Amino acid sequence: MNAVLPQRTDGDGRSSVSLAELIALRARVAKLAVPVQESRAARSGQQSSRLHGRGMDYAESRIYQPGDDVRRLDWRLTARSGKLHTKLFQEEREGRLLIVVDHNPSMHFGTRVRFKSVQAARAAALAAWYGTRGGDRVGAMGFGGEDRLLRPQGGPRGALALCGALADWDARAAVSDRTEALSDALRRARRLVHGASRVLIVSDGWHGDAALRARLLDISRHAEVTVLIVADALESALAPSGRYPLEYEGRRIEAVLESERQRRDFKAKLVQGQERLAGLARALGLRCRAIDTVVDPLDAVAALLGPGRGARG
């Protein structure tokens, strides 16, 4: 496989994305039994559709029914059986997976193992390798600190291009203080959804707003939408007592967490965005998973992109 990779210093895999690690994740997905995606109808994202048309794959023939297109008559079977038969064709539509990745400043935070931004890139890369192995064309859209687009491409070359884009976008976003609401990002993503399509949102939910529900509902009418929420370990459990130096949008503060009430209030503020996004996903019937910066994202990615609709949470 020949491809030109971005010329950049590779990240450390902790506070910055390592391109080498994203590429190496291909081996993890190669061990999975990834189902090949079938033709998908625009609304459900999973159903195959039988159409009468040219350029489609022949599926079967059946007895002619009033209203059938006479140009689709199966003359050979009609001659053999003495009854009119119509050919049915199955549309062969290549799957398209768009991964929407949050690059807002809130993602560049972490207290255990790695930043949320690094974990999000790892999850997105796994999704790309998973999707291309199942026959999808994969593309990505970054929002927040880095407003970028990678058009869907198929095969290993497509996943490799996405890995390179993720590493490059992360490096650019790390020096940006630009923010963007998730609802605005989904409005842009909506214009990229055409025909058979799936959308995976990877975010910490921090930049959800009042318009988010309507945007999720709109895009879910045209594609199968799944949500992966990335949290830091500090956001997943009560922080131990102590003083915590924090930096956000260029401002340095020290959070004093001594009493249990202070620790609970602090945690409640940190998880507001995650809970809002998870609640909206549940209300709209979207598959949703949450991971922190310590765990392996592969199981969550496979649960979101695999067949069927398991429990949401």
Side-chain angles (χ1 to χ4, degrees):
M1 178 173 56
N2 298 319
V4 178
L5 301 180
Q7 299 299 313
R8 57 182 295 274
T9 301
D10 204 18
D12 58 17
R14 297 185 297 276
S15 62
S16 57
V17 170
S18 166
L19 176 57
E21 180 185 16
L22 300 188
I23 295 173
L25 290 174
R26 179 185 185 183
R28 301 283 318 285
V29 176
K31 298 177 181 179
L32 298 179
V34 178
V36 176
Q37 297 297 330
E38 294 183 354
S39 166
R40 293 189 264 293
R43 287 179 61 88
S44 70
Q46 294 282 353
Q47 299 174 355
S48 60
S49 57
R50 284 187 174 174
L51 305 175
H52 298 197
R54 295 176 180 172
M56 307 298 178
D57 282 351
Y58 170 76
E60 62 181 353
S61 295
R62 60 160 168 77
I63 294 292
Y64 174 85
Q65 297 176 3
D68 284 352
D69 190 340
V70 295
R71 293 174 298 177
R72 306 292 176 254
L73 289 177
D74 187 338
W75 293 110
R76 290 187 178 181
L77 184 54
T78 296
R80 290 199 306 267
S81 66
K83 297 180 181 180
L84 285 175
H85 279 73
T86 301
K87 289 182 178 180
L88 297 182
F89 295 83
Q90 182 165 339
E91 182 184 26
E92 189 169 295
R93 183 182 296 163
E94 193 172 30
R96 183 177 299 148
L97 171 64
L98 176 66
I99 306 172
V100 180
V101 185
D102 194 339
H103 288 285
N104 276 298
S106 62
M107 296 292 291
H108 290 266
F109 172 79
T111 61
R112 300 288 189 279
V113 182
R114 57 182 64 88
F115 278 10
K116 290 187 287 185
S117 55
V118 175
Q119 184 72 315
R122 294 173 77 235
L126 284 166
W129 290 119
Y130 190 98
T132 54
R133 186 161 176 242
D136 279 332
R137 294 173 65 85
V138 296
M141 191 188 83
F143 74 98
E146 187 62 18
D147 180 357
R148 296 280 173 158
L149 172 65
L150 179 71
R151 295 286 180 180
Q153 303 176 56
R157 188 180 298 273
L160 185 61
L162 191 143
C163 289
L166 289 171
D168 183 53
W169 297 352
D170 177 76
R172 295 172 185 268
V175 295
S176 172
D177 58 0
R178 180 178 177 272
T179 63
E180 181 182 10
L182 178 53
S183 62
D184 290 337
L186 293 182
R187 180 169 55 240
R188 291 193 289 115
R190 171 66 183 85
R191 297 196 294 267
L192 304 175
V193 175
H194 302 291
S197 181
R198 295 190 291 172
V199 175
L200 171 64
I201 300 169
V202 184
S203 172
D204 64 358
W206 190 268
H207 287 82
D209 58 9
L212 180 55
R213 185 183 190 281
R215 295 300 176 199
L216 282 170
L217 181 60
D218 177 51
I219 200 169
S220 66
R221 287 173 176 153
H222 302 275
E224 182 187 10
V225 179
T226 53
V227 179
L228 181 62
I229 299 174
V230 181
D232 180 67
L234 188 65
E235 301 167 335
S236 303
L238 286 182
S241 299
R243 295 173 177 269
Y244 293 83
L246 303 173
E247 181 176 346
Y248 179 65
E249 293 185 346
R251 295 183 292 111
R252 294 179 179 271
I253 61 174
E254 184 177 59
V256 179
L257 308 177
E258 299 294 348
S259 69
E260 182 174 344
R261 179 177 179 179
Q262 288 176 322
R263 292 154 60 204
R264 290 190 180 279
D265 289 346
F266 180 71
K267 180 177 181 295
K269 291 179 181 178
L270 288 180
V271 300
Q272 284 179 349
Q274 300 168 32
E275 292 180 346
R276 181 191 304 113
L277 182 53
L280 286 174
R282 286 193 297 269
L284 297 175
L286 310 179
R287 277 196 276 185
C288 178
R289 291 292 186 275
I291 59 173
D292 62 25
T293 58
V294 177
V295 303
D296 183 350
L298 182 56
D299 287 345
V301 169
L304 291 174
L305 299 183
R309 294 183 177 274
R312 296 163 175 82

